Amino acid sequence: EIKDLIRLVSDIANKNNIPAYLIGGFVRDLILGVKNFDLDIVVEGDGIKFAEVISGKLNVGLIRHRRFGTATVILKKHLKVDIVTARQEYYPEAAHLPEVTCGVLKDDLLRRDFTINAMAISINRQDFGRFIDCFGGSQDLANKEIRVLHNLSFIDDPTRILRAIRFEQRYNFKIEPKTLKLLREANRLKMLERVSRERLRDELILILKEERPLKPLNRIKELTRFDFINSGLSLSKKTSQFLKSIESQISWFKRKYPKRRQLDTWLTYFIGLIDQLNINNIKLICKKFSFRRGEEKRIAAYKKLNPKFIKELSQDKIKASEVFRFLEPLSYEVIILIKAKFKNSSLQKHIEDFFEIYNGTHLYISGADLHKLGLTPGPYYQKIFHRVLNAKLDGLVKTKKEELELIKKISEDKSYGAK
Ligand code: CTP
């Protein structure tokens, strides 16, 4: 699919006489033999118009970022193509977004973060496949080194401090000595404080989305610390252990339930990381990073867990319907966090049963069955379902016949509100 896509882009480039190149992370991962479904393409021409032609041909959606002269074509599944207009840029002020002017490939490469992300492959007919490596990226890949292209790289764009750490830890590379010195210098100048909150948040999320986020978090602890999130935040032994436990619970869940709703793993780790802070600091972070409502809700739900609730869930003899009542309103992320934090064996068993049995329990009866029994629809329908479900979870009813019998019994109970 990726090859077809590259051919299609190449054809469009040739027909329109626009030089086009694969670039950035895709080229890096191609050389490393790492899966990557994000094609980055740079064109020496109008990138947005170019992307419009691709999206038109494929009949798929397009997101334009006019300010940057870039566009993203979104294909089915995980495939995505980013089209960039080759550009030179200068930074109006340190740590601010670049101003874009048209340029050529070399200038475009020069503005990039690290040598390993500044290699290109031509997809033009006359030299299809030509590898362009102006800054020694392939050598650095071979030596497993992260190297900036120029001394001001971290000053121009301080998010690169976090990117350097992320790539280093992802590929088990090393930030080479001079780059490390520049990174420490940028850090001494507190450059991360100058970055917009949204960009910091996005970088943080990318770090937490890594396969094993504890690695970059440990390196952040060593190199920058966590002030860019909150000055009270640290990575103590206790927090590290909690994050490790979260990691193993996430892989347990993924292994066991690959078809269920996917966990927002980054959010699960994030909640684990900030667990050490009080609610006021957590609120400050949520405000600062303007998380989505659903994200904030899950952060708050975990922080507000009642110790009484954990105590009850840790009891051996607790009915299935009770476990269901406790866990049903919580998100999967929060349940995984509880499982990672509290090691009580009964609690572990209840949560496992919840995922394995209770969470997927359905009734045979439906609204139509209640209607057939002469019950007029109303709020008590929900109550009836609820009671029958509880009975089913507790093993008191099993078959459809038994469910119906229970409904009859409930509906005869006048205090229940059924008519
Ligand atoms: N880039 C940069 N400076 C940044 C962000 C991006 O120079 N602050 C450049 C790099 O050349 C990078 C490319 O833009 O390769 C694409 O950026 P992005 O998609 O964020 O990164 P990838 O390298 O594709 O990394 P990942 O595998 O994490 O997606």
Side-chain angles (χ1 to χ4, degrees):
E1 247 176 317
I2 288 189
K3 278 187 188 166
D4 287 347
L5 198 56
I6 293 173
R7 267 184 218 114
L8 176 99
V9 178
S10 170
D11 282 349
I12 294 172
N14 288 323
K15 276 197 192 112
N16 294 281
N17 228 348
I18 294 175
Y21 307 86
L22 287 166
I23 207 151
F26 183 81
V27 175
R28 174 198 70 220
D29 286 343
L30 190 68
I31 298 172
L32 286 174
V34 172
K35 257 190 210 165
N36 189 327
F37 299 120
D38 293 346
L39 284 190
D40 283 328
I41 289 172
V42 60
V43 295
E44 289 176 13
D46 186 334
I48 294 184
K49 265 197 195 150
F50 194 89
E52 281 166 356
V53 179
I54 300 177
S55 79
K57 278 237 173 234
L58 294 170
N59 199 16
V60 291
L62 174 77
I63 302 170
R64 299 172 181 83
H65 314 281
R66 292 215 182 271
R67 188 170 164 206
F68 302 105
T70 66
T72 304
V73 182
I74 302 152
L75 290 102
K76 61 183 163 102
K77 291 187 237 152
H78 304 296
L79 272 183
K80 179 165 108 11
V81 189
D82 281 315
I83 307 286
V84 179
T85 307
R87 64 202 198 187
Q88 288 174 307
E89 62 199 21
Y90 72 94
Y91 287 78
E93 204 182 308
H96 286 67
L97 290 168
E99 297 204 349
V100 177
T101 58
C102 273
V104 286
L105 184 66
K106 177 136 189 231
D107 298 308
D108 182 276
L109 289 171
L110 190 60
R111 79 180 170 90
R112 290 175 182 263
D113 50 4
F114 310 115
T115 58
I116 60 164
N117 290 339
M119 298 174 284
I121 297 172
S122 164
I123 53 170
N124 304 299
R125 188 178 297 138
Q126 63 278 16
D127 61 351
F128 191 98
R130 181 166 65 93
F131 179 51
I132 301 153
D133 178 12
C134 312
F135 308 102
S138 55
Q139 189 60 49
D140 285 336
L141 269 190
N143 295 338
K144 298 174 175 275
E145 284 183 333
I146 308 289
R147 182 190 311 276
V148 284
L149 299 181
H150 58 85
N151 290 354
L152 289 178
S153 191
F154 292 122
I155 305 291
D156 285 346
D157 180 355
T159 63
R160 290 174 177 168
I161 297 172
L162 298 173
R163 286 175 66 87
I165 293 175
R166 182 156 63 87
F167 291 125
E168 180 195 55
Q169 295 302 311
R170 180 198 291 173
Y171 298 117
N172 290 321
F173 282 17
K174 271 270 158 258
I175 300 173
E176 60 85 30
K178 189 174 167 212
T179 301
L180 192 61
K181 198 165 157 253
L182 293 168
L183 185 152
R184 287 189 196 277
E185 181 61 22
N187 201 44
R188 212 175 50 74
L189 295 172
K190 297 192 185 307
M191 289 308 295
L192 275 177
E193 281 179 20
R194 302 204 200 177
V195 178
S196 78
R197 296 159 167 203
E198 290 74 22
R199 292 190 72 212
L200 277 182
R201 175 201 58 205
D202 293 348
E203 279 307 322
L204 173 66
I205 292 178
L206 287 176
I207 286 168
L208 296 171
K209 278 187 174 173
E210 287 292 311
E211 191 63 32
R212 309 202 46 210
L214 197 52
K215 290 181 72 203
L217 289 178
N218 267 316
R219 192 70 160 139
I220 287 176
K221 175 183 176 177
E222 189 188 335
L223 290 178
T224 71
R225 302 221 289 263
F226 297 90
D227 293 5
F228 71 95
I229 304 174
N230 182 282
S231 57
L233 197 67
S234 66
L235 190 60
S236 64
K237 219 171 159 190
K238 192 171 154 211
T239 301
S240 287
Q241 270 161 1
F242 186 25
L243 293 175
K244 264 188 214 146
S245 175
I246 292 172
E247 188 177 289
S248 55
Q249 292 304 333
I250 287 177
S251 55
W252 168 80
F253 183 86
K254 281 186 176 167
R255 206 173 45 244
K256 225 158 158 16
Y257 304 109
K259 298 221 166 90
R260 297 253 177 114
R261 170 174 89 65
Q262 291 205 346
L263 290 172
D264 279 329
T265 54
W266 76 264
L267 185 63
T268 318
Y269 284 116
F270 185 64
I271 298 175
L273 178 66
I274 61 173
D275 187 30
Q276 57 187 292
L277 299 175
N278 63 29
I279 188 79
N280 287 337
N281 271 316
I282 291 182
K283 277 186 187 158
L284 279 178
I285 295 177
C286 287
K287 195 160 170 240
K288 167 171 167 176
F289 285 147
S290 18
F291 288 123
R292 298 197 174 110
R293 234 180 101 64
E295 292 160 356
E296 243 182 71
K297 264 182 151 173
R298 281 173 281 176
I299 295 171
Y302 178 75
K303 198 62 196 172
K304 286 185 186 151
L305 280 177
N306 192 335
K308 243 173 75 188
F309 161 95
I310 301 296
K311 211 170 147 199
E312 294 209 32
L313 203 60
S314 304
Q315 281 168 13
D316 181 25
K317 290 201 171 36
I318 165 175
K319 282 199 216 158
S321 57
E322 284 290 287
V323 173
F324 187 78
R325 187 169 66 83
F326 283 143
L327 298 179
E328 217 325 268
L330 299 177
S331 62
Y332 280 4
E333 287 78 10
V334 172
I335 300 176
I336 288 295
L337 281 157
I338 296 174
K339 194 166 184 304
K341 179 135 179 185
F342 302 98
K343 297 297 178 195
N344 172 286
S345 59
S346 302
L347 174 142
Q348 294 288 320
K349 170 90 175 58
H350 294 322
I351 292 182
E352 282 162 25
D353 285 348
F354 173 79
F355 280 127
E356 188 65 32
I357 314 166
Y358 318 149
N359 191 223
T361 303
H362 294 294
L363 296 177
Y364 292 115
I365 48 141
S366 65
D369 293 307
L370 299 196
H371 204 64
K372 266 193 223 151
L373 288 174
L375 300 168
T376 349
Y380 59 88
Y381 262 41
Q382 249 356 73
K383 283 198 206 162
I384 292 176
F385 284 136
H386 188 70
R387 253 187 81 179
V388 181
L389 183 66
N390 281 351
K392 187 155 187 169
L393 288 167
D394 292 337
L396 303 173
V397 296
K398 289 194 177 69
T399 61
K400 179 164 184 181
K401 199 168 149 235
E402 286 170 352
E403 287 182 11
L404 284 168
E405 273 162 17
L406 180 61
I407 293 170
K408 275 188 211 147
K409 227 161 92 198
I410 299 171
S411 61
E412 277 156 24
D413 178 355
K414 292 279 179 286
S415 64
Y416 220 70
K419 293 178 192 88

